[in-house]
């Protein structure tokens, strides 16, 4: 069911987010605390996206476990950014394990991740998929539920929806057609982050100059707050706003 995080604030090394905390994302890849029954190991790929200043984000993705990658530790030690989205993947049975299936998905300034599963895939959401442009369907990053969720969110963004509108509308539509789905989404443009919490775990810590959202707290520092279920979150370093999803 995956684990992910998003950070906005003063520039830090990727290592400070991915490796250094006692319950870092790397540790969560093999020792998660709160998968809500969605497995125990996140070894089916990983990805990190970061913003080098005002430009579009850079991604580093691989199909294998994050703990086995020989390059990422060195890259993470020397790469700094004030906006990062990272994820480790636990692939649903029957879905491919390949680099293009690992979050973050990207277009322009947007980075996107999904923790969870769409129940009844793909039949439960065929009508939603059918509402997308054919080109979007034939160019999906991968034949997975997460890639389709990204296509649905991206379609709304292209049509002029705000990040919050794109995420919340997508979650509500998919949840209505696929009961029992777990739909924790993360979407960022490097300035703010929008997240959804739907039958999966998410916590947030805002310090006034930085904000960190993570499937599980990465340390025992004060200030972590678990986001209640069926909520959406819009977060910036200056503050966090919550709304009802349903």
């Amino acid at each position: 069911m995956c684990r992910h995080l998003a950070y906005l604030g003063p520039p830090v090394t990727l290592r400070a987010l991915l490796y250094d905390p006692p319950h870092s994302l790397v540790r969560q890849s093999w020792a998660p605390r709160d998968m809500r029954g969605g497995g125990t190991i996140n070894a089916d790929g990983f990805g990190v996206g970061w913003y080098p200043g005002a430009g579009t984000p850079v991604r580093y993705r691989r199909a294998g476990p994050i703990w086995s990658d020989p390059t990422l530790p060195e890259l993470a030690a020397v790469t700094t950014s004030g906006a990062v989205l990272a994820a480790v993947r636990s692939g649903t049975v029957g879905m491919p394990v390949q680099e293009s299936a690992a979050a973050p998905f990207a277009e322009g300034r947007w980075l996107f991740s999904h923790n969870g599963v769409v129940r009844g895939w793909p039949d439960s959401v065929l009508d939603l998929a059918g509402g997308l442009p054919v080109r979007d369907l034939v160019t999906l990053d991968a034949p997975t539920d997460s890639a389709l969720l990204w296509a649905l969110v991206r379609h709304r963004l292209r049509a002029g929806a705000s990040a919050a509108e794109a995420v919340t509308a997508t979650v509500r539509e998919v949840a209505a057609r696929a009961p029992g789905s777990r739909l924790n989404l993360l979407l960022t443009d490097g300035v703010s982050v929008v997240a959804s919490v739907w039958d999966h775990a998410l916590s947030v810590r805002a310090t006034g100059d930085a904000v960190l959202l993570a499937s599980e707290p990465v340390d025992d520092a004060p200030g972590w707050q678990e986001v209640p279920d069926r909520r959406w979150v819009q977060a910036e370093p200056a503050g966090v706003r919550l709304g009802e999803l349903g």
Side-chain angles (χ1 to χ4, degrees):
M1 295 296 175
C2 315
R3 305 278 81 185
H4 59 194
L5 65 78
Y7 169 82
L8 298 174
V12 297
T13 64
L14 298 183
R15 180 179 181 86
L17 295 172
L18 303 180
Y19 289 93
D20 291 346
H23 194 59
S24 66
L25 190 66
V26 171
R27 183 175 179 84
Q28 289 178 37
S29 68
W30 55 268
R33 292 172 174 168
D34 189 5
M35 289 284 281
R36 305 286 169 100
T40 56
I41 302 295
N42 299 280
D44 298 323
F46 70 90
V48 187
W50 66 93
Y51 293 77
T56 56
V58 176
R59 288 185 297 168
Y60 182 87
R61 298 188 296 169
R62 292 294 183 267
I66 192 172
W67 67 75
S68 70
D69 187 84
T71 303
L72 185 59
E74 295 179 1
L75 178 67
V78 299
T79 303
T80 62
S81 178
V84 178
L85 192 154
V88 292
R89 181 174 182 242
S90 175
T92 301
V93 173
M95 295 188 190
V97 176
Q98 59 193 55
E99 184 175 308
S100 61
F105 302 100
E107 179 173 277
R109 286 192 56 80
W110 297 108
L111 291 174
F112 173 86
S113 177
H114 165 230
N115 276 190
V117 62
V118 174
R119 297 297 184 193
W121 166 267
D123 296 328
S124 58
V125 288
L126 286 179
D127 67 323
L128 295 180
L132 291 171
V134 173
R135 189 178 190 281
D136 287 2
L137 290 176
V138 300
T139 58
L140 283 178
D141 292 74
T144 66
D145 53 359
S146 295
L148 178 65
L149 288 171
W150 166 230
L152 293 169
V153 169
R154 182 183 60 190
H155 185 59
R156 288 188 161 93
L157 293 172
R158 289 173 175 172
S162 69
E165 291 168 342
V167 167
T168 57
T170 298
V171 169
R172 288 170 179 144
E173 283 193 346
V174 173
R177 288 161 175 79
S181 295
R182 295 176 176 174
L183 302 168
N184 276 28
L185 312 186
L186 276 182
L187 177 69
T188 185
D189 61 357
V191 177
S192 67
V193 179
V194 172
S196 63
V197 181
W198 193 280
D199 287 355
H200 217 8
L202 185 73
S203 293
V204 60
R205 184 178 69 200
T207 62
D209 66 343
V211 63
L212 180 61
L213 298 90
S215 300
E216 305 172 14
V218 300
D219 55 31
D220 296 323
W224 283 104
Q225 295 183 329
E226 183 176 356
V227 180
D229 195 27
R230 309 297 169 91
R231 299 291 195 278
W232 63 272
V233 182
Q234 185 156 24
E236 300 175 1
V240 177
R241 181 165 63 101
L242 273 69
E244 297 277 350
L245 263 174

